[in-house]
Each structure stands twice: as C-alpha cells, then as structure tokens.
Amino acid sequence: MEKSGIFVGLDIGTTSIKVIVAEYLKNQINIIGVGSELADGLNRGVVVDIDRAVQAIKKAVAQAEEKANLEIKKVQVGLPANLLEIEPCNGMVAVSNHDGSAKEINEDDVIRVTKAALTQQLPPEREVVDVIPDEFIVDGFDGIKDPRGMVGIRLEMKGVVYTGPKTILHNTLRCVERAGLQPSGVVVAPLALTSAALSDGEQDFGSILIDLGGGQTTVAVIHDHKLKYTYVDQEGGQFVTKDISIVLNTSVANAEKIKRNYGYADSTLAPQDEKFPVEVVGQAEPVEISSEYLAEIIEARLTQIFNRLKRVLDDISALKLPGGVIITGGQAALPGVKELAAEIFDTNVRLFIPQQMGLRHPSFSQVIGQVEYGCHLSEIEKIVKMAVFPDFKQFMPIAELANIETQTNQINKQSIEEKKNKKEKSGNRFEGIKNFFSTFFD
C-alpha cells in the first residue's frame, strides 16, 4: 500500500517556533501550511518556561492551521542534540514454538528483540530517545532488514540507541501536550535534518552537517546513512546579535535588523563604500556605520564558533570524510558563511537552502527535515520504536492511522452485521439480546 497523507512537523527552536503541514502523495511532499512564531520560554534549545513556550507553539500552530485549512492534532517533534549519547546495541531472543520447532517471526518478536537490545543500565537522569535498527539476524543469517514472515528459532537485532537527558524529553513533550497536540513521532533533530539536507551519497560516504541556529550550533557526523556523532556548541546567532548590540551601542532589536539587512560573515566580501545609519543609545541622531566594520564584528564571533568546531572534528578525523561540510540553519543565510567556513575547515563546503515554494530560507531546514523523516520512516523502523514508546499509533503516519481506523471500523461493522443476521435467524425470543448487542457495539 502506498504511503500517503498529511504530515506535520514542529521545530521548537531557541529563536523561533515553526510548524509545517505537508501532503505526502506519490512520493512527493507538497507544503500546504506554514506557521512561524518568535520563540519564548527557551534558552539554547532547551525549554526553560513551559507556559510561555506553550503559548508560542499555539500561535505557530494556529497560523499553519489557517493556511492549511485543517485542524492540527498530531505533530512530528524534534529533540535537540544537547548531551546526546550514541551507543551500539545488540539483543537476542528465542522465537521457536513450545516444542522447539521454528516459527514464523512476527511484530511481537521484533519488539521483544528490540527490548532485549535495550536492556542496559542508564543513569536516572537519562532516557532512551530513539533506537534505529541496523540489521536483524535469523539463525545466524545476517544482513536482514525486515525479519517478519521469516521462519526461525533465534532472532537477533543490531542497532544504534540514542539516549538524552530526561528533562529535555519530558519538557518538550509536555509543551506539545499542553498545546493540545499529540506527538506523532519523536526524532533527534540532527537525524531528521539529514533527510532534507544531505544527498544519498553524502549520507553514505560520510559528511558533516552544521546547523547554525539562533541559540546554539549543532554538528552532526553522518556516515553509512547513520548518525555517528553529535556536538553542540552553546553559541549561535543570538551571540552575533549581542556582539553587534554591544559594539555599536544599539538595542538588540536594532542589532538583529542590521545583521539581517547589512550583515556579511566574511569581511572581505562586504562592500567597502557602503554605510548605513544606526540608532545609538544616548544620541539623538543616528550614527553611520560601514558594512565592512559590521562584517568584522560578525566574522569575529563566527570564527570563534567555527574554530571550536574544527578542533572537535579534527579530534575524530571527521574532516577527512569525502562529503565535506554542509551548512544550514538560520545564520547560514548570512552572505559569506560558506567562504568563511571553507577557509577555516579547509575542505569543501556547501550551503543547504530548502527549495520548497515560500520556504527558501535555511531556517526552515530543520522542520522540513522532520516532515521528510516522518514520510520516509519504514514500517519496520516504526515497529522497533514501539519498544521505546509502547503506543504504536504515535509513530504511525496520519494516513496510515486513517487507513487502520477505516479497516477497523469496517471489520467492526461486518462483525455487527453478522451478529445481527444470526440473531434474526434465531427467532423473536432472542430479540432482546439482539438489541442489547447492537447497541453495545454501536
């Protein structure tokens, strides 16, 4: 059955909250609704005030609902990579019959072997966020992607488990629920971002994905289509804005406007003869500032961030990966970011900008990635996630939920009709029982 339906992505960022409603049909994703609201109650990607964050989420959702002309109930939620840990996992269970003979492997067996792989002692402050299966092994035969329907006695699973701070997971999901929404899926943000930003070859041979966000900068190393490493630098676009505000002695709001309208990440690319007025605190008349001077302020902070990232990536030899560096996120919109990064990282660098109509800005990369991740999630991956989150429906695409509910209703209706027919044939003395069961099933 072809997967289709409506998918909703929710990106709870430090500086903005974005919601995208997408229609997935015939392997095509069409954006039908967008909502964007200034974030509140967050600091460096983490929720610090649930009430304020909930209000901002509600406003973004309302905008997307109005444009898409539908009510949003379920959303794909991204979790920040703060203190994320990635570890291999391995589990094995017996799947034979009571007499010891081989039996057909089903979904329950997949869930059991996943739970067996997750039997590890975690500190009380950490929790399993996600688990991704690499392969299944049936009676020693490895490389199996989906063991359901196969016959065997012993089932093994090898995969990767992601664990994160329990506080981040709880607070994020709490905000979603208090905003009147249900999580249709939970995904680590860098993992979702790779779905949109990286090509198949970049994911296969290895690449470095840098998300230049407002509150923090996240680095993800991808190789063999797997998230191998993450690092979060606690500085982002907000620090650039604050630098401009302090150096030019202007308000933060003015500094943000100046950065967007006149900012360059590489001072050598800034127009040397361009000047613009700046409202300075304590002075009645605006002061003229050159674009080159502004670029030097921006470049100084971004250079610090990139140099820290380079030291981290050098330690794990990630910069030798053939895919190079892919940069996205809101701050990637600054002219000259690509050139500055190429100079510091000394490797090939490219920018990722979404090409969806009306969303051609790198700040929408994350939320688009969440939608694409949900659309392309395989059935076996959803079943594996049941071991972490028992409610399977949370991870079912909306369209599949509708199909399942429709099929269930049809089965129930068929069962009701069969029962009614049997009661009618049994005679009038069973009329009371027939009415009871008819009412009960209805």
Side-chain angles (χ1 to χ4, degrees):
M1 182 180 65
E2 182 180 321
K3 191 188 336 181
S4 61
I6 303 297
F7 291 77
V8 183
L10 171 62
D11 175 25
I12 305 176
T14 306
T15 56
S16 67
I17 294 176
K18 295 180 176 62
V19 179
I20 282 183
V21 184
E23 182 182 26
Y24 186 60
L25 183 64
K26 296 181 179 180
N27 295 323
Q28 295 290 329
I29 297 177
N30 300 315
I31 307 298
I32 60 176
V34 180
S36 181
E37 182 68 24
L38 290 176
D40 198 5
L42 287 103
N43 183 28
R44 297 181 180 181
V46 179
V47 176
V48 294
D49 190 318
I50 291 180
D51 291 334
R52 289 160 57 189
V54 167
Q55 294 304 314
I57 293 173
K58 286 182 176 180
K59 291 178 182 178
V61 170
Q63 295 175 22
E65 286 179 331
E66 182 179 0
K67 294 177 182 177
N69 195 26
L70 56 81
E71 183 181 1
I72 296 175
K73 295 182 179 180
K74 295 179 179 289
V75 293
Q76 178 87 13
V77 185
L79 293 177
N82 300 55
L83 301 178
L84 182 74
E85 292 184 2
I86 306 172
E87 299 178 4
C89 61
N90 189 2
M92 181 179 67
V93 295
V95 294
S96 57
N97 292 312
H98 295 295
D99 58 0
S101 61
K103 75 178 270 290
E104 187 174 294
I105 298 170
N106 55 30
E107 293 180 0
D108 290 335
D109 297 319
V110 174
I111 296 173
R112 286 195 303 116
V113 75
T114 305
K115 288 183 177 180
L118 297 178
T119 55
Q120 53 182 315
Q121 294 294 328
L122 290 177
E125 72 277 4
R126 298 191 68 81
E127 191 166 347
V128 175
V129 174
D130 203 353
V131 57
I132 305 295
D134 286 339
E135 65 170 348
F136 292 90
I137 304 172
V138 179
D139 293 345
F141 294 95
D142 58 2
I144 299 172
K145 295 301 180 184
D146 189 346
R148 292 176 301 162
M150 297 182 178
V151 174
I153 295 177
R154 185 179 69 253
L155 175 64
E156 298 178 64
M157 189 204 80
K158 293 183 178 179
V160 178
V161 60
Y162 302 98
T163 65
K166 187 175 295 185
T167 301
I168 293 179
L169 178 62
H170 171 80
N171 290 350
T172 302
L173 295 182
R174 188 68 171 170
C175 288
V176 174
E177 292 168 358
R178 288 185 58 178
L181 305 169
Q182 295 177 347
S184 63
V186 177
V187 59
V188 179
L191 190 62
L193 187 55
T194 60
S195 301
L198 301 186
S199 66
D200 183 74
E202 288 170 336
Q203 295 185 51
D204 188 11
F205 290 96
S207 303
I208 300 166
L209 181 59
I210 299 178
D211 182 9
L212 282 173
Q216 59 188 21
T217 302
T218 304
V219 176
V221 178
I222 312 296
H223 183 254
D224 195 22
H225 291 270
K226 299 179 183 67
L227 179 62
K228 297 290 188 178
Y229 176 83
T230 61
Y231 171 78
V232 177
D233 188 275
Q234 296 298 326
E235 291 186 7
Q238 284 184 332
F239 284 80
V240 177
T241 303
K242 289 178 181 178
D243 287 346
I244 297 172
S245 174
I246 293 171
V247 174
L248 300 185
N249 198 24
T250 187
S251 67
V252 173
N254 285 336
E256 181 67 25
K257 292 179 182 178
I258 292 169
K259 181 181 71 174
R260 293 183 179 182
N261 295 332
Y262 305 100
Y264 284 81
D266 190 337
S267 58
T268 61
L269 300 178
Q272 297 182 358
D273 55 349
E274 182 182 63
K275 293 186 178 182
F276 54 89
V278 177
E279 295 180 4
V280 176
V281 176
Q283 296 192 29
E285 297 296 329
V287 176
E288 282 198 343
I289 300 295
S290 68
S291 295
E292 187 177 13
Y293 183 48
L294 174 64
E296 290 174 354
I297 301 172
I298 298 173
E299 181 181 1
R301 176 63 68 174
L302 290 179
T303 298
Q304 284 186 353
I305 296 174
F306 286 159
N307 279 328
R308 283 196 298 268
L309 300 185
K310 186 178 187 303
R311 287 193 291 269
V312 171
L313 295 171
D314 280 337
D315 289 341
I316 59 173
S317 301
L319 289 171
K320 296 180 181 179
L321 293 172
V325 174
I326 295 88
I327 298 180
T328 190
Q331 303 309 305
L334 283 171
V337 164
K338 176 182 176 181
E339 290 76 8
L340 181 64
E343 179 183 351
I344 294 175
F345 294 122
D346 193 25
T347 186
N348 54 306
V349 176
R350 77 171 178 90
L351 296 180
F352 171 74
I353 300 175
Q355 296 303 307
Q356 284 81 355
M357 186 66 69
L359 302 178
R360 292 172 181 169
H361 193 279
S363 62
F364 286 98
S365 299
Q366 180 63 60
V367 68
I368 291 175
Q370 290 172 18
V371 170
E372 294 201 8
Y373 181 86
C375 291
H376 299 138
L377 201 63
S378 68
E379 189 173 349
I380 191 66
E381 288 174 327
K382 293 194 289 284
I383 295 172
V384 166
K385 290 178 186 294
M386 290 174 58
V388 182
F389 299 91
D391 188 359
F392 181 42
K393 285 189 175 183
Q394 286 188 345
F395 296 93
M396 292 288 287
I398 295 174
E400 292 185 20
L401 280 174
N403 290 333
I404 290 176
E405 291 171 356
T406 301
Q407 292 171 7
T408 304
N409 292 336
Q410 290 175 350
I411 293 173
N412 289 339
K413 290 180 180 179
Q414 182 179 359
S415 176
I416 294 170
E417 292 299 326
E418 290 176 354
K419 291 178 182 292
K420 285 184 178 180
N421 292 336
K422 289 181 180 178
K423 302 303 178 185
E424 289 175 356
K425 291 179 181 179
S426 64
N428 292 334
R429 63 193 181 91
F430 294 106
E431 188 69 26
I433 299 176
K434 181 192 73 171
N435 292 336
F436 169 77
F437 277 103
S438 177
T439 305
F440 176 81
F441 282 102
D442 287 342

